[in-house]
Amino acid sequence: MIAPGILFMVVFNFIPIYGLVLAFKNYTVVDTIGDSPWVGLDNFRIILSDKYFWDSVWNTLGISSIKLILGFILPIILAVMIYEVSWGPFKKIVQTLTYLPHFFSWIILGGMMISWLSSNGLLNQILQLFGFQADTNYLLDAGKYWGIASLSDVWKEAGWGTILYLAVMSNIDPSLYEAAEMDGASKIQRIWHITLPEISGMVTLNLILSVSALFNSNLDQTLVLMNSQNQPKAEVINSYVYRMGLTQGDFSYATAVGLGVSVISVILLVATNLLSKRLNDNQSVL
């Protein structure tokens, strides 16, 4: 039963690893990977002096940091609120509404965002109802892009992020809440002293995975929302690699950037896991 999954990973995850040698070669489309001349670390030296690369790194860290803070905290809060709802039908409605954006592609959601944030879009119409003079196209303002990208991503994924927390909460022994209630604990105290400690393992795991993904901003979202006006603040590492590799045909340089980012992501993953291991009495979650 697991053979198809293993075959998929071998074909699409392990065999392409051979292509990483392009980072150390000067590859062109008229050559094969084996025939391309070796250049050693020249591509990495060019990266270190590339202003546009460092701009994309700064944008990636800025957007990912906002996503990390909001996208890590909000699913926990939302999961606790859903868990505390006692009326079953209402709970299912809330879960469905919060999960729904996850199943739409960024092509659909990006079109919605472009429409809503245009000069005569939904956001400006709402502001005008409250007496504000609003006719700004927000996606043409580079200074607002980080906030737009971060909030739209959280809106899309926050509900989906509650699934694992709710699964863990469903296994909490109800007698713990009953005993705490008999001892006079308020709902907030029960959440703080029972619910949150019980899901701490899953919280730690999600934090580790989130930190390791700091350099992996959403390419689909960027390609949909980025335009010539906001590109200085919208260009992230993934879109930079895409542009250099597929648009400009510099496959060796793009591979070198991608390899460097992957190495940094692994270092962040290991470092965060070691830190969590120390904070959790030497019990690693990975």
Side-chain angles (χ1 to χ4, degrees):
M1 291 179 64
I2 65 172
I6 294 176
L7 180 62
F8 180 89
M9 290 186 63
V10 170
V11 172
F12 293 101
N13 293 94
F14 288 96
I15 293 178
I17 290 177
Y18 171 69
L20 291 177
V21 298
L22 290 178
F24 307 95
K25 291 192 169 192
N26 183 19
Y27 173 79
T28 61
V29 293
V30 297
D31 298 321
T32 63
I33 295 178
D35 294 336
S36 302
W38 289 92
V39 295
L41 299 176
D42 286 354
N43 288 319
F44 295 94
R45 295 190 185 98
I46 297 173
I47 290 173
L48 295 177
S49 61
D50 188 346
K51 173 184 179 298
Y52 297 105
F53 167 74
W54 289 111
D55 288 342
S56 71
V57 170
W58 176 250
N59 291 334
T60 302
L61 286 176
I63 296 171
S64 295
S65 297
I66 299 173
K67 287 181 180 180
L68 174 62
I69 296 171
L70 297 179
F72 176 70
I73 296 175
L74 287 180
I76 299 174
I77 297 174
L78 183 59
V80 171
M81 293 173 66
I82 293 174
Y83 180 70
E84 291 295 329
V85 173
S86 57
W87 188 31
F90 181 71
K91 178 184 290 190
K92 291 180 180 180
I93 292 174
V94 172
Q95 286 180 293
T96 301
L97 291 177
T98 54
Y99 293 171
L100 193 60
H102 170 81
F103 296 99
F104 291 106
S105 71
W106 270 111
I107 301 299
I108 297 173
L109 294 182
M112 294 168 60
M113 296 298 297
I114 292 171
S115 176
W116 290 351
L117 299 176
S118 65
S119 56
N120 59 348
L122 178 63
L123 179 56
N124 283 325
Q125 292 179 20
I126 293 174
L127 292 175
Q128 289 169 8
L129 288 176
F130 288 94
F132 294 97
Q133 185 66 33
D135 57 356
T136 303
N137 190 324
Y138 297 94
L139 279 174
L140 297 181
D141 187 346
K144 294 182 173 63
Y145 181 83
W146 284 14
I148 293 172
S150 303
L151 293 176
S152 60
D153 186 80
V154 171
W155 165 57
K156 184 177 188 295
E157 302 296 341
W160 187 252
T162 65
I163 291 178
L164 293 177
Y165 296 124
L166 289 171
V168 176
M169 291 176 190
S170 65
N171 291 320
I172 299 176
D173 188 353
S175 64
L176 295 174
Y177 293 104
E178 295 171 1
E181 189 173 2
M182 290 179 63
D183 289 338
S186 65
K187 186 177 289 291
I188 297 298
Q189 290 174 325
R190 295 197 295 270
I191 292 172
W192 185 260
H193 294 288
I194 299 176
T195 305
L196 293 182
E198 289 291 329
I199 66 171
S200 61
M202 184 58 64
V203 170
T204 303
L205 176 60
N206 281 339
L207 177 61
I208 292 172
L209 296 177
S210 298
V211 171
S212 67
L214 271 176
F215 285 89
N216 292 317
S217 289
N218 193 319
L219 177 61
D220 294 340
Q221 180 193 38
T222 304
L223 294 180
V224 171
L225 298 182
M226 184 170 64
N227 54 57
S228 59
Q229 298 297 312
N230 64 25
Q231 184 173 356
K233 290 292 185 180
E235 184 85 275
V236 293
I237 295 175
N238 286 344
S239 64
Y240 182 72
V241 170
Y242 172 85
R243 184 163 59 85
M244 295 300 295
L246 295 182
T247 304
Q248 300 187 17
D250 196 343
F251 298 104
S252 295
Y253 184 83
T255 303
V257 174
L259 177 59
V261 171
S262 298
V263 171
I264 294 174
S265 297
V266 171
I267 293 173
L268 287 173
L269 177 67
V270 174
T272 310
N273 186 46
L274 291 175
L275 178 61
S276 69
K277 184 178 179 180
R278 288 194 173 191
L279 295 177
N280 290 281
D281 299 325
N282 292 326
Q283 293 182 0
S284 176
V285 296
L286 289 182

mmCIF file of all heavy atoms in Angstrom, residues 63 66-67 106 113-114 117 123 137-155 221 225 230:
data_model
loop_
_atom_site.group_PDB
_atom_site.id
_atom_site.type_symbol
_atom_site.label_atom_id
_atom_site.label_comp_id
_atom_site.label_asym_id
_atom_site.label_seq_id
_atom_site.Cartn_x
_atom_site.Cartn_y
_atom_site.Cartn_z
ATOM 1 N N ILE A 63 7.798 39.352 5.474
ATOM 2 C CA ILE A 63 6.472 38.762 5.283
ATOM 3 C C ILE A 63 6.321 37.484 6.103
ATOM 4 O O ILE A 63 5.294 37.270 6.768
ATOM 5 C CB ILE A 63 6.230 38.477 3.786
ATOM 6 C CG1 ILE A 63 6.202 39.784 2.990
ATOM 7 C CG2 ILE A 63 4.924 37.706 3.581
ATOM 8 C CD1 ILE A 63 6.177 39.587 1.488
ATOM 9 N N ILE A 66 5.804 38.127 9.898
ATOM 10 C CA ILE A 66 4.426 38.526 10.228
ATOM 11 C C ILE A 66 3.495 37.320 10.155
ATOM 12 O O ILE A 66 2.647 37.102 11.024
ATOM 13 C CB ILE A 66 3.942 39.637 9.277
ATOM 14 C CG1 ILE A 66 4.832 40.877 9.398
ATOM 15 C CG2 ILE A 66 2.487 40.014 9.585
ATOM 16 C CD1 ILE A 66 4.531 41.955 8.384
ATOM 17 N N LYS A 67 3.679 36.508 9.116
ATOM 18 C CA LYS A 67 2.869 35.295 8.980
ATOM 19 C C LYS A 67 3.117 34.341 10.146
ATOM 20 O O LYS A 67 2.186 33.691 10.633
ATOM 21 C CB LYS A 67 3.204 34.586 7.665
ATOM 22 C CG LYS A 67 2.687 35.271 6.414
ATOM 23 C CD LYS A 67 3.066 34.462 5.187
ATOM 24 C CE LYS A 67 2.559 35.107 3.916
ATOM 25 N NZ LYS A 67 2.926 34.332 2.708
ATOM 26 N N TRP A 106 -4.898 30.120 -4.986
ATOM 27 C CA TRP A 106 -4.554 31.541 -4.944
ATOM 28 C C TRP A 106 -4.971 32.262 -6.223
ATOM 29 O O TRP A 106 -5.040 33.495 -6.237
ATOM 30 C CB TRP A 106 -3.059 31.713 -4.688
ATOM 31 C CG TRP A 106 -2.741 31.799 -3.229
ATOM 32 C CD1 TRP A 106 -2.084 30.894 -2.461
ATOM 33 C CD2 TRP A 106 -3.122 32.861 -2.338
ATOM 34 N NE1 TRP A 106 -2.020 31.312 -1.155
ATOM 35 C CE2 TRP A 106 -2.641 32.526 -1.044
ATOM 36 C CE3 TRP A 106 -3.811 34.063 -2.507
ATOM 37 C CZ2 TRP A 106 -2.831 33.346 0.053
ATOM 38 C CZ3 TRP A 106 -4.006 34.879 -1.403
ATOM 39 C CH2 TRP A 106 -3.514 34.524 -0.148
ATOM 40 N N MET A 113 -8.865 39.283 -3.974
ATOM 41 C CA MET A 113 -8.099 40.341 -3.312
ATOM 42 C C MET A 113 -7.881 41.530 -4.241
ATOM 43 O O MET A 113 -7.993 42.682 -3.823
ATOM 44 C CB MET A 113 -6.741 39.784 -2.848
ATOM 45 C CG MET A 113 -6.811 38.688 -1.797
ATOM 46 S SD MET A 113 -7.571 39.237 -0.256
ATOM 47 C CE MET A 113 -6.416 40.489 0.246
ATOM 48 N N ILE A 114 -7.561 41.249 -5.492
ATOM 49 C CA ILE A 114 -7.352 42.335 -6.459
ATOM 50 C C ILE A 114 -8.624 43.155 -6.625
ATOM 51 O O ILE A 114 -8.595 44.393 -6.684
ATOM 52 C CB ILE A 114 -6.896 41.760 -7.813
ATOM 53 C CG1 ILE A 114 -5.489 41.158 -7.673
ATOM 54 C CG2 ILE A 114 -6.903 42.829 -8.900
ATOM 55 C CD1 ILE A 114 -5.015 40.377 -8.889
ATOM 56 N N LEU A 117 -9.423 45.155 -3.251
ATOM 57 C CA LEU A 117 -8.470 46.206 -2.886
ATOM 58 C C LEU A 117 -8.255 47.231 -3.989
ATOM 59 O O LEU A 117 -7.392 48.091 -3.875
ATOM 60 C CB LEU A 117 -7.119 45.572 -2.521
ATOM 61 C CG LEU A 117 -7.137 44.603 -1.331
ATOM 62 C CD1 LEU A 117 -5.778 43.965 -1.133
ATOM 63 C CD2 LEU A 117 -7.573 45.326 -0.060
ATOM 64 N N LEU A 123 -13.254 47.189 -0.080
ATOM 65 C CA LEU A 123 -12.674 47.870 1.081
ATOM 66 C C LEU A 123 -12.918 49.368 1.024
ATOM 67 O O LEU A 123 -13.328 49.987 2.024
ATOM 68 C CB LEU A 123 -11.169 47.581 1.153
ATOM 69 C CG LEU A 123 -10.414 48.248 2.308
ATOM 70 C CD1 LEU A 123 -11.026 47.879 3.658
ATOM 71 C CD2 LEU A 123 -8.933 47.877 2.262
ATOM 72 N N ASN A 137 -5.878 52.243 -4.664
ATOM 73 C CA ASN A 137 -5.641 50.867 -5.086
ATOM 74 C C ASN A 137 -4.493 50.336 -4.218
ATOM 75 O O ASN A 137 -3.330 50.639 -4.447
ATOM 76 C CB ASN A 137 -5.265 50.795 -6.564
ATOM 77 C CG ASN A 137 -5.262 49.372 -7.087
ATOM 78 O OD1 ASN A 137 -4.885 48.444 -6.373
ATOM 79 N ND2 ASN A 137 -5.671 49.184 -8.329
ATOM 80 N N TYR A 138 -4.821 49.545 -3.230
ATOM 81 C CA TYR A 138 -3.852 49.176 -2.197
ATOM 82 C C TYR A 138 -2.749 48.274 -2.724
ATOM 83 O O TYR A 138 -1.631 48.300 -2.209
ATOM 84 C CB TYR A 138 -4.584 48.502 -1.026
ATOM 85 C CG TYR A 138 -5.560 49.425 -0.346
ATOM 86 C CD1 TYR A 138 -6.904 49.433 -0.712
ATOM 87 C CD2 TYR A 138 -5.147 50.311 0.633
ATOM 88 C CE1 TYR A 138 -7.812 50.297 -0.110
ATOM 89 C CE2 TYR A 138 -6.037 51.181 1.247
ATOM 90 C CZ TYR A 138 -7.369 51.167 0.868
ATOM 91 O OH TYR A 138 -8.255 52.028 1.457
ATOM 92 N N LEU A 139 -3.038 47.488 -3.746
ATOM 93 C CA LEU A 139 -2.018 46.597 -4.278
ATOM 94 C C LEU A 139 -0.978 47.333 -5.127
ATOM 95 O O LEU A 139 0.032 46.747 -5.507
ATOM 96 C CB LEU A 139 -2.656 45.483 -5.101
ATOM 97 C CG LEU A 139 -3.205 44.312 -4.293
ATOM 98 C CD1 LEU A 139 -3.939 43.332 -5.186
ATOM 99 C CD2 LEU A 139 -2.082 43.592 -3.540
ATOM 100 N N LEU A 140 -1.238 48.599 -5.434
ATOM 101 C CA LEU A 140 -0.247 49.404 -6.150
ATOM 102 C C LEU A 140 0.659 50.155 -5.186
ATOM 103 O O LEU A 140 1.590 50.839 -5.619
ATOM 104 C CB LEU A 140 -0.944 50.390 -7.097
ATOM 105 C CG LEU A 140 -1.767 49.771 -8.230
ATOM 106 C CD1 LEU A 140 -2.369 50.868 -9.100
ATOM 107 C CD2 LEU A 140 -0.912 48.839 -9.075
ATOM 108 N N ASP A 141 0.376 50.049 -3.905
ATOM 109 C CA ASP A 141 1.178 50.707 -2.874
ATOM 110 C C ASP A 141 2.142 49.674 -2.282
ATOM 111 O O ASP A 141 1.740 48.796 -1.521
ATOM 112 C CB ASP A 141 0.269 51.281 -1.785
ATOM 113 C CG ASP A 141 1.031 52.120 -0.773
ATOM 114 O OD1 ASP A 141 2.269 52.045 -0.742
ATOM 115 O OD2 ASP A 141 0.379 52.854 -0.001
ATOM 116 N N ALA A 142 3.419 49.793 -2.633
ATOM 117 C CA ALA A 142 4.408 48.806 -2.185
ATOM 118 C C ALA A 142 4.513 48.764 -0.663
ATOM 119 O O ALA A 142 4.763 47.707 -0.084
ATOM 120 C CB ALA A 142 5.779 49.127 -2.790
ATOM 121 N N GLY A 143 4.301 49.903 -0.015
ATOM 122 C CA GLY A 143 4.418 49.955 1.436
ATOM 123 C C GLY A 143 3.367 49.149 2.165
ATOM 124 O O GLY A 143 3.554 48.807 3.337
ATOM 125 N N LYS A 144 2.260 48.845 1.510
ATOM 126 C CA LYS A 144 1.182 48.087 2.148
ATOM 127 C C LYS A 144 1.230 46.596 1.812
ATOM 128 O O LYS A 144 0.424 45.824 2.321
ATOM 129 C CB LYS A 144 -0.183 48.653 1.734
ATOM 130 C CG LYS A 144 -0.457 50.065 2.237
ATOM 131 C CD LYS A 144 -1.845 50.519 1.824
ATOM 132 C CE LYS A 144 -2.210 51.855 2.462
ATOM 133 N NZ LYS A 144 -1.325 52.948 2.029
ATOM 134 N N TYR A 145 2.165 46.190 0.953
ATOM 135 C CA TYR A 145 2.121 44.817 0.459
ATOM 136 C C TYR A 145 2.374 43.788 1.552
ATOM 137 O O TYR A 145 1.715 42.748 1.586
ATOM 138 C CB TYR A 145 3.123 44.614 -0.685
ATOM 139 C CG TYR A 145 3.069 43.200 -1.220
ATOM 140 C CD1 TYR A 145 2.108 42.833 -2.156
ATOM 141 C CD2 TYR A 145 3.938 42.213 -0.744
ATOM 142 C CE1 TYR A 145 2.018 41.531 -2.620
ATOM 143 C CE2 TYR A 145 3.857 40.915 -1.213
ATOM 144 C CZ TYR A 145 2.897 40.577 -2.143
ATOM 145 O OH TYR A 145 2.807 39.284 -2.589
ATOM 146 N N TRP A 146 3.329 44.025 2.431
ATOM 147 C CA TRP A 146 3.627 43.050 3.481
ATOM 148 C C TRP A 146 2.389 42.721 4.295
ATOM 149 O O TRP A 146 2.103 41.558 4.577
ATOM 150 C CB TRP A 146 4.729 43.574 4.402
ATOM 151 C CG TRP A 146 6.104 43.518 3.820
ATOM 152 C CD1 TRP A 146 6.437 43.305 2.499
ATOM 153 C CD2 TRP A 146 7.334 43.691 4.519
ATOM 154 N NE1 TRP A 146 7.785 43.346 2.337
ATOM 155 C CE2 TRP A 146 8.376 43.577 3.563
ATOM 156 C CE3 TRP A 146 7.666 43.945 5.841
ATOM 157 C CZ2 TRP A 146 9.721 43.706 3.911
ATOM 158 C CZ3 TRP A 146 9.001 44.075 6.201
ATOM 159 C CH2 TRP A 146 10.014 43.951 5.234
ATOM 160 N N GLY A 147 1.657 43.767 4.681
ATOM 161 C CA GLY A 147 0.444 43.551 5.468
ATOM 162 C C GLY A 147 -0.614 42.795 4.688
ATOM 163 O O GLY A 147 -1.269 41.886 5.217
ATOM 164 N N ILE A 148 -0.787 43.144 3.413
ATOM 165 C CA ILE A 148 -1.786 42.479 2.575
ATOM 166 C C ILE A 148 -1.439 41.002 2.402
ATOM 167 O O ILE A 148 -2.284 40.116 2.562
ATOM 168 C CB ILE A 148 -1.886 43.169 1.204
ATOM 169 C CG1 ILE A 148 -2.458 44.584 1.354
ATOM 170 C CG2 ILE A 148 -2.743 42.349 0.244
ATOM 171 C CD1 ILE A 148 -2.410 45.398 0.083
ATOM 172 N N ALA A 149 -0.176 40.712 2.087
ATOM 173 C CA ALA A 149 0.248 39.329 1.868
ATOM 174 C C ALA A 149 0.107 38.503 3.145
ATOM 175 O O ALA A 149 -0.362 37.355 3.108
ATOM 176 C CB ALA A 149 1.694 39.298 1.373
ATOM 177 N N SER A 150 0.481 39.082 4.266
ATOM 178 C CA SER A 150 0.442 38.341 5.534
ATOM 179 C C SER A 150 -0.992 38.074 5.972
ATOM 180 O O SER A 150 -1.351 36.946 6.314
ATOM 181 C CB SER A 150 1.182 39.126 6.624
ATOM 182 O OG SER A 150 2.508 39.395 6.229
ATOM 183 N N LEU A 151 -1.829 39.100 5.967
ATOM 184 C CA LEU A 151 -3.206 38.948 6.447
ATOM 185 C C LEU A 151 -4.016 38.031 5.533
ATOM 186 O O LEU A 151 -4.822 37.227 6.015
ATOM 187 C CB LEU A 151 -3.872 40.315 6.558
ATOM 188 C CG LEU A 151 -3.308 41.242 7.642
ATOM 189 C CD1 LEU A 151 -3.985 42.607 7.585
ATOM 190 C CD2 LEU A 151 -3.493 40.639 9.030
ATOM 191 N N SER A 152 -3.805 38.133 4.224
ATOM 192 C CA SER A 152 -4.555 37.266 3.306
ATOM 193 C C SER A 152 -4.144 35.811 3.466
ATOM 194 O O SER A 152 -4.982 34.901 3.373
ATOM 195 C CB SER A 152 -4.366 37.731 1.855
ATOM 196 O OG SER A 152 -2.998 37.702 1.484
ATOM 197 N N ASP A 153 -2.872 35.564 3.723
ATOM 198 C CA ASP A 153 -2.415 34.183 3.939
ATOM 199 C C ASP A 153 -2.978 33.619 5.238
ATOM 200 O O ASP A 153 -3.385 32.451 5.288
ATOM 201 C CB ASP A 153 -0.890 34.142 3.975
ATOM 202 C CG ASP A 153 -0.345 32.721 4.041
ATOM 203 O OD1 ASP A 153 -0.287 32.067 2.987
ATOM 204 O OD2 ASP A 153 0.004 32.271 5.148
ATOM 205 N N VAL A 154 -3.005 34.441 6.287
ATOM 206 C CA VAL A 154 -3.579 33.993 7.559
ATOM 207 C C VAL A 154 -5.065 33.710 7.396
ATOM 208 O O VAL A 154 -5.593 32.729 7.923
ATOM 209 C CB VAL A 154 -3.331 35.060 8.655
ATOM 210 C CG1 VAL A 154 -4.103 34.711 9.920
ATOM 211 C CG2 VAL A 154 -1.839 35.155 8.966
ATOM 212 N N TRP A 155 -5.762 34.576 6.677
ATOM 213 C CA TRP A 155 -7.200 34.366 6.424
ATOM 214 C C TRP A 155 -7.424 33.039 5.705
ATOM 215 O O TRP A 155 -8.369 32.304 6.006
ATOM 216 C CB TRP A 155 -7.735 35.528 5.590
ATOM 217 C CG TRP A 155 -9.076 35.279 4.970
ATOM 218 C CD1 TRP A 155 -10.238 34.944 5.611
ATOM 219 C CD2 TRP A 155 -9.397 35.339 3.563
ATOM 220 N NE1 TRP A 155 -11.264 34.800 4.696
ATOM 221 C CE2 TRP A 155 -10.779 35.035 3.442
ATOM 222 C CE3 TRP A 155 -8.665 35.638 2.421
ATOM 223 C CZ2 TRP A 155 -11.422 35.019 2.208
ATOM 224 C CZ3 TRP A 155 -9.315 35.626 1.194
ATOM 225 C CH2 TRP A 155 -10.670 35.315 1.098
ATOM 226 N N GLN A 221 0.925 32.826 -4.139
ATOM 227 C CA GLN A 221 0.383 34.102 -3.687
ATOM 228 C C GLN A 221 1.166 35.270 -4.285
ATOM 229 O O GLN A 221 0.578 36.254 -4.747
ATOM 230 C CB GLN A 221 0.433 34.169 -2.167
ATOM 231 C CG GLN A 221 -0.101 35.472 -1.587
ATOM 232 C CD GLN A 221 0.247 35.629 -0.126
ATOM 233 O OE1 GLN A 221 1.343 35.266 0.303
ATOM 234 N NE2 GLN A 221 -0.662 36.171 0.655
ATOM 235 N N LEU A 225 -0.351 38.295 -6.666
ATOM 236 C CA LEU A 225 -0.527 39.638 -6.107
ATOM 237 C C LEU A 225 0.560 40.619 -6.523
ATOM 238 O O LEU A 225 0.373 41.832 -6.414
ATOM 239 C CB LEU A 225 -0.582 39.568 -4.576
ATOM 240 C CG LEU A 225 -1.725 38.753 -3.969
ATOM 241 C CD1 LEU A 225 -1.663 38.813 -2.444
ATOM 242 C CD2 LEU A 225 -3.079 39.258 -4.453
ATOM 243 N N ASN A 230 4.388 47.169 -6.918
ATOM 244 C CA ASN A 230 4.730 46.691 -5.569
ATOM 245 C C ASN A 230 5.887 45.695 -5.566
ATOM 246 O O ASN A 230 6.253 45.170 -4.513
ATOM 247 C CB ASN A 230 3.507 46.069 -4.889
ATOM 248 C CG ASN A 230 2.997 44.821 -5.598
ATOM 249 O OD1 ASN A 230 3.721 44.134 -6.285
ATOM 250 N ND2 ASN A 230 1.717 44.534 -5.420
#
